[in-house]
Amino acid sequence: MKIQNFNELAVSDARRATLKIAEDGLEAIDTEQVMREMIQVGMADGKQTLLLGNEVIDLSAVRDVIFIAIGKCATEA
């Protein structure tokens, strides 16, 4: 949970709902979590693959994979 003192702050239903919205927003912009979900290495049909979002790339003919990050959150990933 991003909001460490969520339960202490959620003293009413309205505050709990507001904090839940803020928590969901913070989770959605968590660079590390989003990158882990969107970029994965796996196996498909006995071949090593790279999953980028919904795109599956066969890595059998690939020697190197290089990622370049640009922007405010680039140093977090």
Side-chain angles (χ1 to χ4, degrees):
M1 194 164 247
K2 300 289 181 195
I3 301 173
Q4 297 296 316
N5 57 343
F6 185 97
N7 291 325
E8 294 170 25
L9 296 172
V11 295
S12 68
D13 289 341
R15 284 189 83 168
R16 180 172 294 283
T18 303
L19 288 165
K20 178 71 172 115
I21 291 168
E23 179 72 25
D24 290 348
L26 291 169
E27 294 255 341
I29 61 169
D30 182 338
T31 305
E32 183 176 348
Q33 180 179 331
V34 171
M35 296 297 284
R36 288 183 188 279
E37 291 172 4
M38 297 300 292
I39 303 171
Q40 299 177 21
V41 176
M43 296 292 286
D45 300 324
K47 297 178 182 178
Q48 192 170 26
T49 59
L50 177 65
L51 179 63
L52 295 175
N54 294 325
E55 186 175 348
V56 178
I57 300 167
D58 178 6
L59 293 178
S60 61
V62 176
R63 189 176 134 215
D64 295 315
V65 176
I66 299 171
F67 289 94
I68 299 172
I70 299 171
K72 290 184 268 185
C73 297
T75 59
E76 291 182 23

PDB file of all heavy atoms in Angstrom, residues 2 25-36 39 67-77:
ATOM      1  N   LYS A   2       0.573   2.195  -0.834  1.00  0.00           N
ATOM      2  CA  LYS A   2       1.364   3.422  -0.966  1.00  0.00           C
ATOM      3  C   LYS A   2       1.130   4.382   0.205  1.00  0.00           C
ATOM      4  O   LYS A   2       2.061   5.005   0.683  1.00  0.00           O
ATOM      5  CB  LYS A   2       1.027   4.138  -2.279  1.00  0.00           C
ATOM      6  CG  LYS A   2       1.292   3.316  -3.510  1.00  0.00           C
ATOM      7  CD  LYS A   2       2.755   3.181  -3.703  1.00  0.00           C
ATOM      8  CE  LYS A   2       3.033   2.372  -4.950  1.00  0.00           C
ATOM      9  NZ  LYS A   2       4.394   1.920  -4.994  1.00  0.00           N
ATOM     10  N   GLY A  25      -4.707   5.786  -7.690  1.00  0.00           N
ATOM     11  CA  GLY A  25      -3.940   6.678  -8.565  1.00  0.00           C
ATOM     12  C   GLY A  25      -2.446   6.512  -8.380  1.00  0.00           C
ATOM     13  O   GLY A  25      -1.689   6.446  -9.350  1.00  0.00           O
ATOM     14  N   LEU A  26      -2.005   6.413  -7.145  1.00  0.00           N
ATOM     15  CA  LEU A  26      -0.581   6.220  -6.866  1.00  0.00           C
ATOM     16  C   LEU A  26      -0.084   4.873  -7.392  1.00  0.00           C
ATOM     17  O   LEU A  26       1.020   4.772  -7.916  1.00  0.00           O
ATOM     18  CB  LEU A  26      -0.317   6.328  -5.364  1.00  0.00           C
ATOM     19  CG  LEU A  26      -0.477   7.725  -4.764  1.00  0.00           C
ATOM     20  CD1 LEU A  26      -0.446   7.666  -3.243  1.00  0.00           C
ATOM     21  CD2 LEU A  26       0.588   8.666  -5.299  1.00  0.00           C
ATOM     22  N   GLU A  27      -0.912   3.842  -7.275  1.00  0.00           N
ATOM     23  CA  GLU A  27      -0.539   2.523  -7.802  1.00  0.00           C
ATOM     24  C   GLU A  27      -0.425   2.563  -9.328  1.00  0.00           C
ATOM     25  O   GLU A  27       0.456   1.939  -9.906  1.00  0.00           O
ATOM     26  CB  GLU A  27      -1.566   1.471  -7.387  1.00  0.00           C
ATOM     27  CG  GLU A  27      -1.607   1.230  -5.903  1.00  0.00           C
ATOM     28  CD  GLU A  27      -0.968  -0.067  -5.484  1.00  0.00           C
ATOM     29  OE1 GLU A  27      -0.808  -0.946  -6.325  1.00  0.00           O
ATOM     30  OE2 GLU A  27      -0.631  -0.171  -4.299  1.00  0.00           O
ATOM     31  N   ALA A  28      -1.321   3.305  -9.973  1.00  0.00           N
ATOM     32  CA  ALA A  28      -1.332   3.371 -11.438  1.00  0.00           C
ATOM     33  C   ALA A  28      -0.093   4.055 -11.993  1.00  0.00           C
ATOM     34  O   ALA A  28       0.299   3.786 -13.131  1.00  0.00           O
ATOM     35  CB  ALA A  28      -2.590   4.104 -11.921  1.00  0.00           C
ATOM     36  N   ILE A  29       0.525   4.932 -11.207  1.00  0.00           N
ATOM     37  CA  ILE A  29       1.715   5.630 -11.699  1.00  0.00           C
ATOM     38  C   ILE A  29       3.002   5.091 -11.080  1.00  0.00           C
ATOM     39  O   ILE A  29       4.058   5.702 -11.211  1.00  0.00           O
ATOM     40  CB  ILE A  29       1.619   7.156 -11.472  1.00  0.00           C
ATOM     41  CG1 ILE A  29       1.505   7.483  -9.987  1.00  0.00           C
ATOM     42  CG2 ILE A  29       0.476   7.760 -12.273  1.00  0.00           C
ATOM     43  CD1 ILE A  29       1.670   8.949  -9.656  1.00  0.00           C
ATOM     44  N   ASP A  30       2.927   3.946 -10.424  1.00  0.00           N
ATOM     45  CA  ASP A  30       4.110   3.308  -9.847  1.00  0.00           C
ATOM     46  C   ASP A  30       4.937   2.734 -10.997  1.00  0.00           C
ATOM     47  O   ASP A  30       4.622   1.696 -11.559  1.00  0.00           O
ATOM     48  CB  ASP A  30       3.695   2.211  -8.876  1.00  0.00           C
ATOM     49  CG  ASP A  30       4.869   1.526  -8.202  1.00  0.00           C
ATOM     50  OD1 ASP A  30       5.998   1.576  -8.738  1.00  0.00           O
ATOM     51  OD2 ASP A  30       4.656   0.921  -7.147  1.00  0.00           O
ATOM     52  N   THR A  31       6.001   3.430 -11.345  1.00  0.00           N
ATOM     53  CA  THR A  31       6.812   3.069 -12.516  1.00  0.00           C
ATOM     54  C   THR A  31       7.303   1.637 -12.458  1.00  0.00           C
ATOM     55  O   THR A  31       7.194   0.898 -13.444  1.00  0.00           O
ATOM     56  CB  THR A  31       8.015   4.024 -12.644  1.00  0.00           C
ATOM     57  OG1 THR A  31       7.540   5.357 -12.668  1.00  0.00           O
ATOM     58  CG2 THR A  31       8.807   3.738 -13.897  1.00  0.00           C
ATOM     59  N   GLU A  32       7.839   1.233 -11.342  1.00  0.00           N
ATOM     60  CA  GLU A  32       8.393  -0.127 -11.240  1.00  0.00           C
ATOM     61  C   GLU A  32       7.311  -1.180 -11.452  1.00  0.00           C
ATOM     62  O   GLU A  32       7.493  -2.151 -12.198  1.00  0.00           O
ATOM     63  CB  GLU A  32       9.061  -0.337  -9.890  1.00  0.00           C
ATOM     64  CG  GLU A  32       9.715  -1.698  -9.778  1.00  0.00           C
ATOM     65  CD  GLU A  32      10.464  -1.895  -8.476  1.00  0.00           C
ATOM     66  OE1 GLU A  32      10.685  -0.922  -7.737  1.00  0.00           O
ATOM     67  OE2 GLU A  32      10.829  -3.045  -8.210  1.00  0.00           O
ATOM     68  N   GLN A  33       6.156  -0.988 -10.825  1.00  0.00           N
ATOM     69  CA  GLN A  33       5.063  -1.952 -10.967  1.00  0.00           C
ATOM     70  C   GLN A  33       4.565  -2.011 -12.403  1.00  0.00           C
ATOM     71  O   GLN A  33       4.358  -3.097 -12.949  1.00  0.00           O
ATOM     72  CB  GLN A  33       3.918  -1.585 -10.024  1.00  0.00           C
ATOM     73  CG  GLN A  33       2.745  -2.534 -10.116  1.00  0.00           C
ATOM     74  CD  GLN A  33       1.639  -2.153  -9.151  1.00  0.00           C
ATOM     75  OE1 GLN A  33       1.888  -1.575  -8.091  1.00  0.00           O
ATOM     76  NE2 GLN A  33       0.422  -2.467  -9.505  1.00  0.00           N
ATOM     77  N   VAL A  34       4.365  -0.864 -13.020  1.00  0.00           N
ATOM     78  CA  VAL A  34       3.884  -0.823 -14.400  1.00  0.00           C
ATOM     79  C   VAL A  34       4.891  -1.498 -15.333  1.00  0.00           C
ATOM     80  O   VAL A  34       4.514  -2.293 -16.204  1.00  0.00           O
ATOM     81  CB  VAL A  34       3.596   0.633 -14.848  1.00  0.00           C
ATOM     82  CG1 VAL A  34       3.306   0.701 -16.333  1.00  0.00           C
ATOM     83  CG2 VAL A  34       2.431   1.197 -14.052  1.00  0.00           C
ATOM     84  N   MET A  35       6.180  -1.215 -15.148  1.00  0.00           N
ATOM     85  CA  MET A  35       7.210  -1.832 -15.990  1.00  0.00           C
ATOM     86  C   MET A  35       7.229  -3.345 -15.815  1.00  0.00           C
ATOM     87  O   MET A  35       7.349  -4.093 -16.780  1.00  0.00           O
ATOM     88  CB  MET A  35       8.587  -1.242 -15.678  1.00  0.00           C
ATOM     89  CG  MET A  35       8.712   0.237 -15.985  1.00  0.00           C
ATOM     90  SD  MET A  35       8.493   0.623 -17.717  1.00  0.00           S
ATOM     91  CE  MET A  35      10.044   0.087 -18.362  1.00  0.00           C
ATOM     92  N   ARG A  36       7.106  -3.825 -14.588  1.00  0.00           N
ATOM     93  CA  ARG A  36       7.100  -5.270 -14.340  1.00  0.00           C
ATOM     94  C   ARG A  36       5.899  -5.938 -14.997  1.00  0.00           C
ATOM     95  O   ARG A  36       5.986  -7.073 -15.458  1.00  0.00           O
ATOM     96  CB  ARG A  36       7.111  -5.568 -12.850  1.00  0.00           C
ATOM     97  CG  ARG A  36       8.438  -5.283 -12.204  1.00  0.00           C
ATOM     98  CD  ARG A  36       8.425  -5.676 -10.725  1.00  0.00           C
ATOM     99  NE  ARG A  36       9.607  -5.236 -10.057  1.00  0.00           N
ATOM    100  CZ  ARG A  36      10.781  -5.857 -10.096  1.00  0.00           C
ATOM    101  NH1 ARG A  36      10.906  -6.960 -10.789  1.00  0.00           N
ATOM    102  NH2 ARG A  36      11.810  -5.377  -9.448  1.00  0.00           N
ATOM    103  N   ILE A  39       6.522  -5.498 -19.154  1.00  0.00           N
ATOM    104  CA  ILE A  39       7.700  -6.106 -19.774  1.00  0.00           C
ATOM    105  C   ILE A  39       8.023  -7.388 -19.022  1.00  0.00           C
ATOM    106  O   ILE A  39       8.379  -7.346 -17.844  1.00  0.00           O
ATOM    107  CB  ILE A  39       8.907  -5.153 -19.733  1.00  0.00           C
ATOM    108  CG1 ILE A  39       8.567  -3.838 -20.425  1.00  0.00           C
ATOM    109  CG2 ILE A  39      10.126  -5.819 -20.362  1.00  0.00           C
ATOM    110  CD1 ILE A  39       9.610  -2.765 -20.244  1.00  0.00           C
ATOM    111  N   PHE A  67      16.945  -1.408 -23.399  1.00  0.00           N
ATOM    112  CA  PHE A  67      15.838  -0.523 -23.066  1.00  0.00           C
ATOM    113  C   PHE A  67      16.401   0.857 -22.774  1.00  0.00           C
ATOM    114  O   PHE A  67      17.413   0.997 -22.081  1.00  0.00           O
ATOM    115  CB  PHE A  67      15.080  -1.026 -21.831  1.00  0.00           C
ATOM    116  CG  PHE A  67      14.274  -2.256 -22.092  1.00  0.00           C
ATOM    117  CD1 PHE A  67      14.796  -3.511 -21.852  1.00  0.00           C
ATOM    118  CD2 PHE A  67      12.989  -2.159 -22.583  1.00  0.00           C
ATOM    119  CE1 PHE A  67      14.069  -4.655 -22.088  1.00  0.00           C
ATOM    120  CE2 PHE A  67      12.245  -3.290 -22.843  1.00  0.00           C
ATOM    121  CZ  PHE A  67      12.779  -4.534 -22.579  1.00  0.00           C
ATOM    122  N   ILE A  68      15.741   1.866 -23.290  1.00  0.00           N
ATOM    123  CA  ILE A  68      16.129   3.254 -23.041  1.00  0.00           C
ATOM    124  C   ILE A  68      14.942   3.932 -22.370  1.00  0.00           C
ATOM    125  O   ILE A  68      13.826   3.891 -22.883  1.00  0.00           O
ATOM    126  CB  ILE A  68      16.501   3.970 -24.348  1.00  0.00           C
ATOM    127  CG1 ILE A  68      17.696   3.263 -24.996  1.00  0.00           C
ATOM    128  CG2 ILE A  68      16.793   5.438 -24.093  1.00  0.00           C
ATOM    129  CD1 ILE A  68      18.030   3.770 -26.376  1.00  0.00           C
ATOM    130  N   ALA A  69      15.185   4.529 -21.216  1.00  0.00           N
ATOM    131  CA  ALA A  69      14.125   5.203 -20.474  1.00  0.00           C
ATOM    132  C   ALA A  69      14.342   6.708 -20.531  1.00  0.00           C
ATOM    133  O   ALA A  69      15.459   7.199 -20.366  1.00  0.00           O
ATOM    134  CB  ALA A  69      14.121   4.727 -19.034  1.00  0.00           C
ATOM    135  N   ILE A  70      13.255   7.432 -20.790  1.00  0.00           N
ATOM    136  CA  ILE A  70      13.314   8.890 -20.880  1.00  0.00           C
ATOM    137  C   ILE A  70      12.171   9.449 -20.054  1.00  0.00           C
ATOM    138  O   ILE A  70      11.054   8.955 -20.100  1.00  0.00           O
ATOM    139  CB  ILE A  70      13.181   9.347 -22.351  1.00  0.00           C
ATOM    140  CG1 ILE A  70      14.322   8.794 -23.177  1.00  0.00           C
ATOM    141  CG2 ILE A  70      13.116  10.857 -22.443  1.00  0.00           C
ATOM    142  CD1 ILE A  70      14.163   9.009 -24.665  1.00  0.00           C
ATOM    143  N   GLY A  71      12.435  10.485 -19.304  1.00  0.00           N
ATOM    144  CA  GLY A  71      11.361  11.139 -18.550  1.00  0.00           C
ATOM    145  C   GLY A  71      11.655  11.182 -17.069  1.00  0.00           C
ATOM    146  O   GLY A  71      12.668  10.684 -16.590  1.00  0.00           O
ATOM    147  N   LYS A  72      10.711  11.773 -16.324  1.00  0.00           N
ATOM    148  CA  LYS A  72      10.900  11.971 -14.883  1.00  0.00           C
ATOM    149  C   LYS A  72      11.062  10.667 -14.110  1.00  0.00           C
ATOM    150  O   LYS A  72      11.770  10.621 -13.127  1.00  0.00           O
ATOM    151  CB  LYS A  72       9.695  12.744 -14.324  1.00  0.00           C
ATOM    152  CG  LYS A  72       9.649  14.190 -14.770  1.00  0.00           C
ATOM    153  CD  LYS A  72       8.498  14.889 -14.116  1.00  0.00           C
ATOM    154  CE  LYS A  72       7.306  14.778 -15.055  1.00  0.00           C
ATOM    155  NZ  LYS A  72       6.134  15.501 -14.608  1.00  0.00           N
ATOM    156  N   CYS A  73      10.404   9.616 -14.557  1.00  0.00           N
ATOM    157  CA  CYS A  73      10.445   8.351 -13.816  1.00  0.00           C
ATOM    158  C   CYS A  73      11.496   7.386 -14.361  1.00  0.00           C
ATOM    159  O   CYS A  73      11.598   6.256 -13.899  1.00  0.00           O
ATOM    160  CB  CYS A  73       9.085   7.686 -13.872  1.00  0.00           C
ATOM    161  SG  CYS A  73       7.791   8.643 -13.074  1.00  0.00           S
ATOM    162  N   ALA A  74      12.303   7.802 -15.309  1.00  0.00           N
ATOM    163  CA  ALA A  74      13.252   6.908 -15.953  1.00  0.00           C
ATOM    164  C   ALA A  74      14.253   6.314 -14.968  1.00  0.00           C
ATOM    165  O   ALA A  74      14.651   5.162 -15.115  1.00  0.00           O
ATOM    166  CB  ALA A  74      14.001   7.640 -17.061  1.00  0.00           C
ATOM    167  N   THR A  75      14.637   7.047 -13.973  1.00  0.00           N
ATOM    168  CA  THR A  75      15.630   6.536 -13.020  1.00  0.00           C
ATOM    169  C   THR A  75      15.041   5.565 -12.014  1.00  0.00           C
ATOM    170  O   THR A  75      15.765   4.871 -11.328  1.00  0.00           O
ATOM    171  CB  THR A  75      16.312   7.686 -12.266  1.00  0.00           C
ATOM    172  OG1 THR A  75      15.323   8.424 -11.569  1.00  0.00           O
ATOM    173  CG2 THR A  75      17.082   8.577 -13.207  1.00  0.00           C
ATOM    174  N   GLU A  76      13.720   5.493 -11.931  1.00  0.00           N
ATOM    175  CA  GLU A  76      13.069   4.592 -10.977  1.00  0.00           C
ATOM    176  C   GLU A  76      13.052   3.149 -11.462  1.00  0.00           C
ATOM    177  O   GLU A  76      13.039   2.243 -10.658  1.00  0.00           O
ATOM    178  CB  GLU A  76      11.638   5.031 -10.716  1.00  0.00           C
ATOM    179  CG  GLU A  76      11.524   6.330  -9.958  1.00  0.00           C
ATOM    180  CD  GLU A  76      10.083   6.695  -9.670  1.00  0.00           C
ATOM    181  OE1 GLU A  76       9.234   5.798  -9.657  1.00  0.00           O
ATOM    182  OE2 GLU A  76       9.818   7.872  -9.474  1.00  0.00           O
ATOM    183  N   ALA A  77      13.012   2.943 -12.758  1.00  0.00           N
ATOM    184  CA  ALA A  77      12.850   1.575 -13.295  1.00  0.00           C
ATOM    185  C   ALA A  77      14.151   0.830 -13.367  1.00  0.00           C
ATOM    186  O   ALA A  77      15.202   1.319 -13.331  1.00  0.00           O
ATOM    187  CB  ALA A  77      12.204   1.638 -14.666  1.00  0.00           C
TER     188      ALA A  77
END
